[in-house]
Amino acid sequence: RGAAGTRPPTPPGGLTPAAPRVLREELEFGLDRVETYRRFDESVRACKRSLLRFLITAREEGKHVAGYGAPSKASTLLNYCGVRTDLIDYTVDRSPHKQGRFIPGARIPIGPPEEIAATRPDYVLLFAWNLRHEVMSQMAHVREWGGKFVIPVPLTEVVD
């Protein structure tokens, strides 16, 4: 970064010194091959089927599922999968700015984290799956009533 947090100007030719490294990494990852995108497409579809299978089975067994977190990726996941309050009762988020609102599109209500202890859902679906260890540690009390955590990505996993 340059002065006052600004980026330095792009060098003549429009490429930064990092460009060759980034291009090499993209090629190593296979971003120049259609097969890479086909595999990604199938993995996304498998994620959707896995989550829907879990949520539908849980609901049919009379179980209750609540979410934890309301990041934008939760909205992306829920809307792609077509999940609404028929499968997830509510979600919670530590941010008071999100509480009392809804997950965009899915219209799943967002409450405070204390709602989980008050309603004791059978499953807590972690929408901030990248923070799974931190959240499960903070919410360890869920296990006191037999509640389990669910990680939806890459494939739905129930954690005892």
Side-chain angles (χ1 to χ4, degrees):
R1 296 231 172 239
T6 62
R7 289 184 183 258
T10 302
L15 297 178
T16 66
R21 176 187 53 79
V22 171
L23 181 58
R24 185 178 61 253
E25 289 172 357
E26 289 177 352
L27 293 173
E28 288 171 2
F29 192 74
L31 297 183
D32 62 329
R33 296 189 305 272
V34 126
E35 185 54 37
T36 301
Y37 297 96
R38 286 189 182 124
R39 280 194 313 271
F40 178 70
D41 176 62
E42 182 48 42
S43 69
V44 169
R45 291 170 188 253
C47 176
K48 176 182 182 175
R49 290 188 302 266
S50 176
L51 179 59
L52 287 173
R53 193 169 21 255
F54 165 77
L55 291 171
I56 290 167
T57 299
R59 187 60 77 181
E60 288 175 347
E61 292 175 353
K63 305 291 185 183
H64 291 275
V65 179
Y68 185 95
S72 58
K73 62 185 169 185
S75 178
T76 301
L77 177 68
L78 294 171
N79 285 297
Y80 173 67
C81 294
V83 174
R84 304 291 183 264
T85 54
D86 58 328
L87 296 175
I88 296 177
D89 300 324
Y90 62 89
T91 192
V92 300
D93 197 280
R94 293 175 63 172
S95 171
H97 301 292
K98 294 182 181 181
Q99 296 167 11
R101 299 184 184 271
F102 298 86
I103 298 275
R107 302 287 302 155
I108 293 173
I110 305 167
E114 297 78 28
E115 193 168 343
I116 288 181
T119 62
R120 298 181 168 218
D122 300 290
Y123 298 103
V124 176
L125 180 61
L126 302 186
F127 291 127
W129 53 84
N130 56 312
L131 303 174
R132 68 189 279 174
H133 300 294
E134 178 183 337
V135 172
M136 289 190 302
S137 177
Q138 290 173 357
M139 301 296 292
H141 62 278
V142 166
R143 293 184 174 104
E144 292 173 6
W145 63 80
K148 298 177 182 176
F149 295 100
V150 180
I151 313 300
V153 174
L155 293 175
T156 303
E157 170 191 0
V158 177
V159 180
D160 287 328

